[in-house]
Amino acid sequence: MHSFGYRANAVLTFAVTILALMCAIASVSDNLNSPSPSSEIQILNINWFQKQPHGNDEVSLTMNITADLQSLFTWNTKQVFLFVAAEYATPKNALNQVSLWDAIIPAKEYAKFNLHTSNKYRFIDQGHNLRGKEFNLTLHWHVMPKTGKMFADKIVMSGYRLPEEYR
Ligand SMILES: *[C@@H]1O[C@H](CO)[C@@H](O)[C@H](O)[C@H]1NC(C)=O
Ligand SMILES: *[C@@H]1O[C@H](CO)[C@@H](O)[C@H](O)[C@H]1NC(C)=O
């Protein structure tokens, strides 16, 4: 004979098991989805480029950012954190990464966009290595799921170069 408490507990255990199973299936099915995001970034303008009084190079630029990240969104996606970084090598560091812009995409309907923006965060070198410097613009994203593990990936765009002279 089962007491009421025992039955209630059994029902609860069953519900929790089903819920855990659904979460597991959710994150597995989400991992099976292979997204194919695309992006293109053009530099529309070098607004100014100078050496700061204490010697670090700083540049201000305007970018044309086009991206289609709709395929990152599934029913299990809470939001996507995006950032654009300038990446370049200097004699001191094989990889210098400067974050220029970021955004949070709250839903699929905002995941395809084109915008013109100057760098939101300052593009400053830890030195004066930027004249004529070749660099990459990398679009990084972190997908925050409703359940399961966060994942990150990026698109690397190369072939950018800063002017030879300050302006
Ligand atoms: C911005 O980039 C998009 C996609 O490459 C292009 O269609 C558009 O003409 C560009 N805008 C400017 C002002 O260059
Ligand atoms: C820039 O991108 C190219 C091509 O993907 C890569 O070979 C190079 O290592 C990148 N440079 C830096 C500093 O990350």
Side-chain angles (χ1 to χ4, degrees), residues 108-124:
K108 187 174 184 173
E109 64 208 277
Y110 304 106
K112 188 175 177 180
F113 62 88
N114 171 247
L115 65 97
H116 298 169
T117 179
S118 54
N119 47 302
K120 180 169 159 187
Y121 305 109
R122 297 173 73 183
F123 186 170
I124 302 179

Side-chain angles (χ1 to χ4, degrees), residues 12-167:
L12 189 65
T13 305
F14 181 68
V16 168
T17 307
I18 292 289
L19 194 65
L21 196 65
M22 282 170 63
C23 287
I25 290 170
S27 47
V28 168
S29 78
D30 203 43
N31 288 342
L32 293 179
N33 168 56
S34 60
S36 53
S38 63
S39 178
E40 210 179 296
I41 302 176
Q42 293 158 344
I43 304 225
L44 295 178
N45 193 43
I46 301 291
N47 304 320
W48 45 262
F49 181 26
Q50 65 194 27
K51 186 171 167 170
Q52 296 174 331
H54 48 279
N56 290 336
D57 282 352
E58 178 169 6
V59 62
S60 164
L61 38 83
T62 302
M63 295 172 286
N64 176 14
I65 306 175
T66 306
D68 183 352
L69 305 170
Q70 287 178 306
S71 62
L72 293 178
F73 282 81
T74 67
W75 58 274
N76 191 33
T77 308
K78 195 163 143 206
Q79 61 183 24
V80 172
F81 172 68
L82 268 188
F83 71 97
V84 171
E87 297 176 352
Y88 58 97
T90 54
K92 250 195 194 159
N93 301 302
L95 176 63
N96 297 272
Q97 189 184 57
V98 183
S99 178
L100 300 183
W101 177 86
D102 64 10
I104 288 172
I105 313 283
K108 187 174 184 173
E109 64 208 277
Y110 304 106
K112 188 175 177 180
F113 62 88
N114 171 247
L115 65 97
H116 298 169
T117 179
S118 54
N119 47 302
K120 180 169 159 187
Y121 305 109
R122 297 173 73 183
F123 186 170
I124 302 179
D125 181 47
Q126 301 294 318
H128 40 87
N129 302 293
L130 296 185
R131 275 172 301 167
K133 177 59 72 186
E134 274 188 41
F135 65 104
N136 294 341
L137 285 176
T138 305
L139 180 73
H140 295 261
W141 61 84
H142 294 254
V143 177
M144 291 158 200
K146 288 176 183 152
T147 168
K149 276 205 216 101
M150 186 179 92
F151 77 93
D153 207 344
K154 63 186 178 182
I155 294 177
V156 180
M157 289 159 269
S158 46
Y160 303 91
R161 183 190 282 274
L162 287 167
E164 296 288 345
E165 301 298 333
Y166 298 122
R167 54 169 83 159

